[in-house]
Amino acid sequence: MHTPEQPKNNPMVLVGVFALIVSSVLGLGLVTQWDNGRKIPGRAIAGPYTPPSTPTTTEAPRPRAVHRLGDHPLLTTPVKLTTPGCALPEFGASDAELSAYYTAGVACLDQAWKPALAQANLPFEPPGLDASPDLKEGPCGVAPAESEAVAYYCGRNKTIYMPTSRLRNNGGGERPGMHLATLAHEYGHHVQALTGMLRAADSKISDAGEDSPAGLEMSRRIELQANCFAGMFLSAASGSIGEELAREAADDFQYAVEEPAEKNAHGSPQNQGMWASYGFDSATTTSCNTYTASAEAVG
């Protein structure tokens, strides 16, 4: 699982990329007010009376990102995902088959998340997907070595990178649940980027220092929330992809590689599995508030 900022699954490197993202703030139009109490010099002239117009409708505020964390509206008001009608092709491990599987998976994730973000008045746009066999250099920098990353999300172009050869050869093999778990996790970073949480977290990491204990802890909160968002999706999609595949994918997070304490940016395997289970079992956004969780829960 990887950070959204540079081409490796390390959220410590969120610094810089998402600092470049600037959210547009759209103002509401001003409604002209009638000033009937103002004295006007001159004499009164009789004439037809036209009452001031009264607006009959109020324009709803446009969706926009909210750059907050623990008190983000998506995390304080429970929102459930729409049950998507996934149309995943038969799973196969060739480059072409994996690419088709990931493409269908993203379409399924879009179906689940778009209405949820609309309900919270948050913006939505589908992510890009690069399912080339190998990673290339992109807008987030030099591609990481295969030993460092198998997939990642780049916030600069809002694209999920799922290199088929790496995902096939580095533990995924012919287990569709692992591939689906990885895709759902990276999509979780896309949700963070759309909602504004990723930018807010990046600011905290920048202030603390990405290699500092506080910076690493914030990185873990980002990664574990992406696991929780992935669990939410897998639960919502279980009706169309099958309960067995959904549970297999949700359970995959507990098999993450243990990182040394001084480089722990993703959380322990136990906590990774725990947060994915929170999302899967509760299926609500409020269960994914890693930003108010204890330090032990995100260690």
Side-chain angles (χ1 to χ4, degrees), residues 269-283:
Q270 178 183 359
N271 283 338
Q272 291 210 42
M274 179 182 71
W275 283 98
S277 294
Y278 285 165
F280 191 93
D281 295 336
S282 70

Side-chain angles (χ1 to χ4, degrees), residues 88 101 175-178 180-181 234-235 237-252 280:
L88 298 178
Y101 197 78
R175 294 187 295 114
M178 176 272 176
L180 197 56
L234 294 166
S235 178
S238 61
S240 59
I241 67 175
E243 179 70 27
E244 183 178 355
L245 176 58
R247 178 55 73 177
E248 175 192 339
D251 288 344
D252 185 76
F280 191 93

Side-chain angles (χ1 to χ4, degrees), residues 63 74 79 112-124 191 194-195:
L74 195 66
V79 175
W113 278 104
K114 182 178 181 179
L117 296 186
Q119 180 181 334
N121 199 38
L122 294 164
F124 176 83
V191 173
L194 292 174
T195 58

